């Protein structure tokens, strides 16, 4: 009896202190990820390289748009593209090779290949899940470098609401209102975000601003209804609209650009018994971008539009015969269409797919995933995407994991159907499928001086770009205070699509089209570590080493075909393989630090964050066509941020911070870095 | 603060490791191994817009080492980035001079000083069907075009233009710049060639 009493006392006295002492460890056990398997799984058990960003982390950084928080993560880089958009580079691969999902369904609207992530507010995000490495075995097209899945908030219990405002430099205003209701079987959720910015100019010598004034709205509503424990319905709608001034480099022209996006997502979940569970999902979305310019007399000078539709019904079933084994199978159809200025026809893509994934789990010690997906497409050869991943935990301090997977990306509409002639310079770009129609027309007009690639070269199909990814990771928990995760990666990409000159025009310019040529690889390592000094002070750090190279370029350097000069008039000399730097806009080193401190007495959270990126090249500037050691590089740079948030009476929170407080900027080379941003914010929960 | 130092060390290391330099490759060629033409003006009209490029070519004669207006005693001619030879047939380009000589050319992927002899079988002439002996277009011939935002025309280092003159003599050329006084910071400086060349005045002698 006494012993029992003692044991009970020991248990009860231990448990709370254990929780208080090591709350992150407890949290880690509860961290759940959906994206890797399409079912809820404990993060640590996943045999793939994954990263999870919680709402708490986003709030601590006072982020407002998706790009704000992603650029602070290890190995992720936001790269500016034409028209002020920012795309994500992951494992050294560009925005067009990663798939961005909201609640498991894809975000569309890549007008020039880049999906702009500043479009997405983080105001309604519950967590962001990142799975690196090719993931086409589950997600199909575009999941070549990896996926980012944004999990949005769901109704909590009772009636709750939240109001958030952040104001800062450049008259930027971000306003969120969130209402949530849940009682018995019904859950309702509504969210509104308005984000505006007066724009700013970092380059005085031109007529345009670095960012023109804009404002945008995001609306999101959700309904959850439980017909019974076994039948649940989820319906979600999202609307996004952005209006922005459109100014041409000659100041007499101005106009507006507008983006409208909406999506509808519904899911019916059926639980038959402990082993069988099914979901019917229907998703449809439209993205429309329009812009015009008027001349000084207010007459229309130019207009362009881009309208993409995407619909996808999917049915999937999970079968779990026992605690060790689990199967998931899904089948779906995709319809995609695009209307766009400068296209020679309005293309439609239809595809159907079937995937299956098997998981074996043994007591958190051994995990295995085997997956396979088959995609049938109306324009391309069918794709078969396998994946195998395994994790083994030796003990509480050491676990290893490895995976091999396949990813593909079908050519986009632009690479197939583009028919564009630059009005000021006079060159022409044709999509692969447009060539056999448009070239004869240009020839009939007398625009073609000579054809460099015969039309017979365009009779087959442009092939999907494909990648095989290898990842190997080690998770070390040296003690509860110090955790280190290491991941080595290599992505082998073939059939990479590039442009080449196919004909010479009589105006001295060229006709370009797309073709499969390049083979590249990206490889490197990623290291993440967290060190907990005490219960209130945590340091996290991450590092990525990256080599991203074109195999043909390596060969050219090896063959001694590449030369450089030290000064414009000095003799040319041959370069060696070690002089080849790699692909454009890739940094060899990226580093981040975050030091968080919680001051209990004042209920105050503060953090200081830093990101560093080593030198990179934006273009070849010594004429040899490759980025080599004798080119001019953009110097490495660091950005430092800090944020303080104070909670008052549980329901109120005040925040203050400075992003990029050392005011680094380089608008010529890195147009998405605005310089120092000072802000304040307030959150009211009710 | 330890972390900050580590961070600085890493930055320092990365700068140190990836900044290497070869000092021995900047010395100029001996003066007897080349001649230089500076700021050869090669204007062009049209071309940049919808209309075909036009305007007369700037003709160059190796024997006199100068720009010429002669109808027959010229070897190569420049207009914008286009270089034609006085040999072959018309490519259909507006305002091309009549080709009445035996000039021909090819591009050798070797530094200027290392091209010491001529491979006669490599020569081609201009024609409508085959295009120009010295191809145009970024990366195809003697230059690369950087595209936006700089829009520069940069000579490809290590590309030597080997020329047969209109009267069966041989020369080699290394284009150094497409901009007046080598200054590419002003767009208006474009279409001024500076090049090194070596001309062998002995007929049919194929070495330099």
């Amino acid at each position: 009896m006494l012993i029992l009493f003692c044991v009970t006392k020991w248990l009860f006295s231990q448990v709370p202190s254990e929780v208080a002492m090591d709350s992150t460890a407890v949290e880690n056990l509860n961290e759940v990820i959906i994206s890797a398997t399409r079912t809820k799984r404990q993060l640590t058990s996943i045999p793939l390289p994954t990263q999870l960003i919680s709402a708490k982390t986003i709030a601590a950084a006072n982020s407002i748009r998706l790009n704000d928080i992603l650029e602070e993560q290890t190995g992720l880089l936001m790269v500016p593209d034409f028209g002020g958009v920012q795309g994500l580079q992951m494992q050294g691969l560009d925005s067009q090779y990663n798939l961005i999902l909201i609640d498991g369904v894809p975000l569309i609207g890549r007008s020039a290949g880049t999906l702009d992530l500043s479009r997405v507010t983080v105001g309604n995000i519950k967590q962001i899940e990142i799975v690196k490495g090719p993931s086409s075995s589950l997600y199909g097209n575009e999941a070549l470098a990896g996926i980012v899945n944004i999990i949005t908030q769901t109704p909590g219990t009772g009636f709750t609401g939240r109001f958030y405002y952040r104001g800062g430099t450049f008259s930027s205003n971000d306003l969120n209102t969130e209402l949530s209701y849940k009682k018995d079987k019904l859950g309702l959720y509504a969210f509104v975000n308005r984000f505006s910015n007066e724009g700013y100019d970092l380059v005085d010598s031109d007529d345009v601003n670095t960012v023109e004034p804009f404002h945008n709205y995001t609306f999101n509503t959700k309904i959850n209804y439980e017909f019974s424990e076994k039948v649940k319905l989820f319906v979600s709608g999202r609307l996004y609209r952005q209006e922005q001034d459109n100014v041409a480099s000659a100041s007499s022209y101005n106009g507006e650009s507008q983006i409208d996006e909406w999506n509808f997502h519904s899911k019916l979940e059926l639980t038959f018994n402990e082993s069988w569970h099914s979901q019917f999902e229907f998703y449809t979305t439209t993205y429309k971008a329009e812009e015009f310019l008027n001349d000084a007399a207010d007459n229309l000078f130019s207009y362009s539009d881009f309208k993409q539709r995407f619909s996808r019904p999917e049915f999937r079933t999970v079968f779990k015969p026992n605690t060790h084994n689990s199967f998931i199978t899904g089948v779906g159809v995709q319809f995609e269409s695009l209307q766009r200025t400068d296209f020679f026809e309005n293309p439609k893509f239809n595809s159907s797919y079937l995937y299956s994934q098997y998981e074996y789990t043994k007591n958190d010690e051994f995990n295995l995933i085997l997956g396979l997906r088959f995609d049938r497409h109306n324009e391309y050869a069918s794709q078969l995407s396998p994946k195998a991943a395994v994790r083994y935990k030796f003990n509480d301090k050491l676990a290893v994991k490895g995976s091999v997977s396949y990813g593909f990306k079908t050519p986009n509409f632009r690479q197939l159907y583009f028919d564009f002639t630059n009005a000021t310079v006079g060159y022409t770009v044709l999509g692969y499928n447009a060539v056999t129609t448009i070239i004869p027309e240009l020839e009939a007009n007398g625009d073609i001086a000579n054809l460099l690639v015969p039309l017979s070269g365009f009779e087959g199909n442009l092939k999907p770009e494909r990648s095989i990814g290898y990842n190997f990771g080690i998770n070390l928990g040296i003690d509860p205070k110090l955790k280190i995760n290491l991941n080595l990666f290599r992505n082998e990409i073939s059939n990479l699509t590039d442009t080449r000159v196919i004909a010479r025009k009589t105006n001295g310019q060229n006709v370009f089209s797309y073709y499969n040529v390049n083979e590249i690889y990206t490889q490197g390592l990623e290291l993440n570590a967290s060190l907990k000094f005490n219960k209130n002070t945590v340091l996290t750090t991450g590092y990525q080493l990256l080599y991203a190279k074109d195999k043909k370029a390596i060969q050219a350097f090896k063959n001694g075909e590449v030369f450089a000069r030290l000064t414009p008039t000095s003799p040319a000399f041959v370069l060696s393989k070690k002089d080849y730097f790699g692909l454009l806009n890739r940094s060899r080193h990226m580093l981040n630090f975050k030091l968080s401190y919680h001051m209990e007495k004042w209920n105050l959270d503060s953090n200081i964050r830093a990101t560093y990126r080593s030198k990179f090249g934006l273009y070849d500037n010594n004429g040899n066509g490759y980025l080599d050691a004798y080119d001019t590089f953009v110097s490495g740079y660091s950005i430092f941020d800090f944020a303080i948030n104070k909670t008052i009476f549980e329901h109120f929170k005040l925040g203050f911070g400075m992003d990029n407080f050392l005011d680094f900027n380089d608008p010529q080379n890195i147009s998405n870095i605005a310089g120092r941003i000072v802000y304040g914010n307030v959150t009211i929960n009710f | 603060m330890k972390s900050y130092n580590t961070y600085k060390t890493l930055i320092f290391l990365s700068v140190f490791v990836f900044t290497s330099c070869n000092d021995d490759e900047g010395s100029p060629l001996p003066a007897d191994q080349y001649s230089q033409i500076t700021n050869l003006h090669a204007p062009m009209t049209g071309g940049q817009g919808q209309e075909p490029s036009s305007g007369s070519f700037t003709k160059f004669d190796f024997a006199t080492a100068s720009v010429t207006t002669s109808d027959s005693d010229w070897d190569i001619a420049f207009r914008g980035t286009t270089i034609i030879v006085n040999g072959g047939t018309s490519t259909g380009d507006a305002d091309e001079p009549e080709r009445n000589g035996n000039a021909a050319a090819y591009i050798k992927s070797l530094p200027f000083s290392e091209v010491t002899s001529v491979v006669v079988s490599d020569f081609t002439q201009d024609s409508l069907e085959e295009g120009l002996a010295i191809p145009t277009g970024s990366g195809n011939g003697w230059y690369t075009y950087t595209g936006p935002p700089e829009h520069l025309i940069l000579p490809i280092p290590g590309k030597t233009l080997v020329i047969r003159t209109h009267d069966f003599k041989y020369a080699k050329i290394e284009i150094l710049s497409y901009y007046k006084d080598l200054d590419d910071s002003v767009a208006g400086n474009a279409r001024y060639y500076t090049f090194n060349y070596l001309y062998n005045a002995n007929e049919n002698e194929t070495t330099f």
Side-chain angles (χ1 to χ4, degrees), chain A residues 241-495:
Chain A
R241 164 176 274 211
Q242 170 162 295
E243 285 166 8
Q244 183 165 28
D245 290 356
N246 185 18
V247 180
S249 47
S251 55
S252 50
Y253 298 102
N254 61 73
E256 250 180 50
S257 65
Q258 185 175 323
I259 295 168
D260 283 285
E261 182 201 341
W262 62 264
N263 66 45
F264 172 83
H265 183 194
S266 64
K267 208 159 57 180
L268 183 68
E269 291 187 50
L270 303 170
T271 308
F272 303 104
N273 53 47
E274 279 186 4
S275 307
W276 291 90
H277 174 88
S278 289
Q279 295 185 347
F280 287 97
E281 184 175 70
F282 177 71
Y283 173 63
T284 181
T285 180
T286 298
Y287 173 89
K288 193 175 158 194
E290 273 179 297
E291 62 176 50
F292 69 88
L293 275 177
N294 284 353
D295 63 16
D298 230 19
N299 295 316
L300 188 67
F301 170 72
S302 74
Y303 172 83
S304 69
D305 69 349
F306 177 100
K307 188 178 178 187
Q308 190 182 358
R309 285 168 187 272
F310 177 97
S311 298
R312 184 172 85 186
E314 181 175 301
F315 174 67
R316 51 182 177 262
T317 295
V318 178
F319 171 55
K320 224 174 148 38
N322 51 50
T323 49
H324 295 319
N325 298 291
S326 170
F327 297 87
I328 180 166
T329 297
V331 54
V333 197
Q334 274 179 195
F335 306 97
E336 212 180 336
S337 69
L338 184 68
Q339 285 170 282
R340 204 200 137 148
T341 328
D342 302 319
F343 267 43
F344 98 111
E345 63 175 53
N346 289 331
K348 283 190 172 63
F349 282 174
N350 297 322
S351 65
S352 50
Y353 58 88
L354 174 71
Y355 63 82
S356 226
Q357 187 161 290
Y358 165 70
E359 277 177 81
Y360 177 79
T361 313
K362 193 188 158 202
N363 310 334
D364 188 38
E365 266 171 25
F366 180 73
N367 307 81
L368 172 78
I369 292 180
L370 296 172
L372 190 66
R373 173 165 162 146
F374 177 72
D375 282 82
R376 204 171 72 177
H377 200 283
N378 67 331
E379 292 276 344
Y380 307 103
S382 302
Q383 294 292 312
L384 199 60
S385 317
K387 170 168 73 188
V390 61
R391 171 184 173 271
Y392 183 74
K393 187 171 135 182
F394 290 94
N395 53 48
D396 283 346
K397 291 183 174 171
L398 174 68
V400 293
K401 54 191 181 183
S403 60
V404 182
S405 54
Y406 176 85
F408 72 93
K409 177 186 169 291
T410 57
N412 60 28
F413 288 124
R414 180 190 170 96
Q415 290 163 339
L416 293 180
Y417 300 102
F418 210 32
D419 173 13
F420 172 76
T421 297
N422 182 294
T424 50
V425 182
Y427 64 86
T428 298
V429 185
L430 296 178
Y432 188 92
N433 292 4
V435 171
T436 49
T437 313
I438 304 296
I439 288 285
E441 285 177 25
L442 291 173
E443 275 180 323
N445 271 344
D447 291 337
I448 302 292
N450 58 323
L451 208 58
L452 303 172
V453 180
L455 291 184
S456 59
F458 294 89
E459 276 161 5
N461 280 337
L462 196 60
K463 292 188 191 94
E465 298 171 295
R466 38 191 286 180
S467 138
I468 298 173
Y470 306 88
N471 283 276
F472 175 75
I474 299 171
N475 300 342
L476 280 174
I478 293 169
D479 68 49
K481 289 181 174 137
L482 177 63
K483 292 198 177 83
I484 297 172
N485 295 330
L486 175 80
N487 186 53
L488 299 167
F489 62 88
R490 182 171 169 102
N491 293 300
E492 295 259 3
I493 295 112
S494 51
N495 288 339

Side-chain angles (χ1 to χ4, degrees), chain A residues 10-43:
Chain A
W10 179 78
L11 269 176
F12 278 98
S13 62
Q14 278 295 311
V15 171
S17 67
E18 181 74 27
V19 170
M21 253 173 59
D22 197 4
S23 61
T24 11
V26 175
E27 267 169 35
N28 283 349
L29 285 181
N30 295 333
E31 279 183 339
V32 159
I33 184 166
I34 303 169
S35 314
T37 56
R38 288 205 160 164
T39 47
K40 283 186 183 173
R41 287 289 178 271
Q42 193 182 309
L43 178 70

Side-chain angles (χ1 to χ4, degrees), chain B residues 16-28:
Chain B
F16 179 74
V17 171
F18 296 98
T19 316
S20 58
C21 210
N22 297 27
D23 288 327
D24 52 339
E25 280 139 345
S27 46

